[in-house]
Amino acid sequence: MLQQTVVKTVIPFFKRWLRRFPDVAAIAAADEREILTLWEGLGYYSRARNIYRAARLIMRQRDGRLPDSYDALRELPGIGEYTAAAIMSLAFGKPYPVVDANARRVVSRVLALKKQDIRVKRRIKTFLKKPLPPRKAGAFNEAIMELGQTVCLSRKPLCESCPINTFCLAFQRNLQNLIPSKIASGTIQKRSILLLLIANDKILARRKESGLFAGLWLLPTIPDSGRIKAAIGGFIGSAAKAEDSLLRTLRPRTHHYTRYSQRLKPVVYNVSGKGVHPGDGWRWLKVGEIDRYPFPSVYRRILDELRATQR
Ligand code: SF4
């Protein structure tokens, strides 16, 4: 849950999750739709799907017990180097260094490593392995990550009060604000129109079966420059009477996912003319029952606004 998300945001999600799923068996026995609904608002839904798949494998193949070896953990869906090392050190006290963005920044500065390529990543890991205390690897890893989060800040690190400033090369050379070197964020901007097509208190939506948002429901979107009426005809069939049926526009919102930042302009259209029929997997969902279906959180906020404006 904490990947790409700050602790403060995660706490209510984590508590709610633990109340509903107190153990692996509870996750494995759940319905994927419920898992995704509880994950709403955290983004990166593949993590939730992987937890679900891992829980089912653990129940089926490992008698409900999380493996206590690094290699066996890596075989579970969604567990990469970072998560496996975190579990090994925090749950089992084994000497595996955890290299998150905070730890990477601290060590890059301590060693004055300007570059951030794969060799540097290996060097950081090797460096962190040496001082890992036996049986206290978890505490050590947490300390390094917390140092990065609270003292060795990415902007304006608090070097004067840093407990390791005596052997930090970046501090000694006054390079702390230049390391790690900034990499272009690579965010791709998109602008789209989000179509909220309403027919007899139902809304058109589609469940994604694969890819990035697999298991979630999405609403139709078209490029910002697209022709809305022609697009509506494409979504619900050419017999639709979409002309002159714009009901209202809603607040534009931004949807952040992977490397994209998508600006969504929601428009509400009434399409309750004769002959309305969805194709290509699109379905009509009752607006009053929309909470039962998992949507990306930005869509959820738009749907909440839609319902509020319908009252
Ligand atoms: Fe980071 Fe400054 Fe501490 Fe070095 S001395 S680890 S740059 S806070």
Side-chain angles (χ1 to χ4, degrees), residues 3 12 19 25 48 73 81 119 127 137 158 189 217 236 241 245 265 288 303:
Q3 207 180 345
R19 268 198 306 275
L73 282 169
E81 280 176 34
R119 270 188 315 204
F127 176 80
L158 311 172
Q189 308 281 343
W217 288 76
I236 61 176
K241 302 270 186 291
S245 57
K265 276 201 309 198
L303 289 167

Side-chain angles (χ1 to χ4, degrees), residues 268-295:
V268 186
Y269 268 77
N270 177 22
V271 291
S272 55
K274 269 189 184 168
V276 172
H277 60 89
D280 292 338
W282 292 98
R283 275 181 49 193
W284 294 109
L285 308 181
K286 284 189 185 162
V287 175
E289 294 178 357
I290 213 80
D291 287 343
R292 290 197 202 163
Y293 300 88
F295 281 87

Side-chain angles (χ1 to χ4, degrees), residues 105-107 109-110 147-148 151-153 156-172 175-177 179:
R105 186 171 58 255
V106 171
V107 179
R109 284 171 171 166
V110 167
L147 185 71
V151 179
C152 193
L153 308 170
K156 298 190 185 158
L158 311 172
C159 299
E160 296 299 337
S161 51
C162 175
I164 59 170
N165 59 12
T166 48
F167 56 87
C168 174
L169 292 181
F171 179 54
Q172 286 164 19
L175 294 172
Q176 61 271 38
N177 290 311
I179 295 176

Side-chain angles (χ1 to χ4, degrees), residues 17-238:
W17 177 275
L18 276 194
R19 268 198 306 275
R20 172 62 188 89
F21 303 123
D23 52 29
V24 179
I27 299 172
D31 180 71
E32 193 192 51
R33 196 161 83 179
E34 190 188 358
I35 300 266
L36 294 174
T37 306
L38 272 184
W39 201 268
E40 262 184 22
L42 287 169
Y44 298 91
Y45 290 88
S46 57
R47 292 176 293 172
R49 279 190 292 272
N50 281 332
I51 288 174
Y52 183 51
R53 285 170 53 213
R56 287 163 70 98
L57 273 174
I58 290 167
M59 291 310 293
R60 236 187 3 252
Q61 299 175 355
R62 299 188 167 269
D63 227 6
R65 291 186 69 82
L66 193 65
D68 61 358
S69 93
Y70 181 87
D71 291 338
L73 282 169
R74 288 293 311 271
E75 283 171 17
L76 292 172
I79 298 199
E81 280 176 34
Y82 167 79
T83 312
I87 295 172
M88 287 305 291
S89 62
L90 293 163
F92 301 117
K94 299 279 168 58
Y96 286 83
V98 175
V99 187
D100 75 339
N102 285 315
R104 194 160 44 238
R105 186 171 58 255
V106 171
V107 179
S108 296
R109 284 171 171 166
V110 167
L111 299 177
L113 306 170
K114 286 190 186 156
K115 280 195 200 156
Q116 289 297 301
D117 57 23
I118 186 76
R119 270 188 315 204
V120 165
K121 199 176 156 194
R122 266 189 240 122
R123 198 161 155 207
I124 290 173
K125 235 183 191 176
T126 311
F127 176 80
L128 281 175
K129 247 183 201 166
K130 282 186 208 153
L132 270 176
R135 290 185 298 281
K136 287 197 177 159
F140 177 86
N141 281 330
E142 282 193 280
I144 295 290
M145 291 189 280
E146 207 160 311
L147 185 71
Q149 202 185 3
T150 58
V151 179
C152 193
L153 308 170
S154 52
R155 290 178 60 216
K156 298 190 185 158
L158 311 172
C159 299
E160 296 299 337
S161 51
C162 175
I164 59 170
N165 59 12
T166 48
F167 56 87
C168 174
L169 292 181
F171 179 54
Q172 286 164 19
R173 297 173 191 171
N174 199 21
L175 294 172
Q176 61 271 38
N177 290 311
L178 300 174
I179 295 176
S181 61
K182 301 280 173 286
I183 305 161
S185 78
T187 303
I188 300 166
Q189 308 281 343
K190 281 186 7 173
R191 289 183 169 274
S192 306
I193 296 170
L194 183 79
L195 297 170
L196 296 128
L197 305 182
I198 309 290
N200 303 321
D201 285 329
K202 291 179 180 166
I203 185 163
L204 194 72
R206 178 170 66 166
R207 185 178 186 275
K208 270 294 265 6
E209 297 300 336
S210 58
L212 184 61
F213 295 109
L216 296 183
W217 288 76
L218 299 179
L219 301 168
T221 55
I222 59 170
D224 197 18
S225 55
R227 290 170 50 224
I228 294 181
K229 286 175 188 167
I232 291 175
F235 282 116
I236 61 176
S238 55

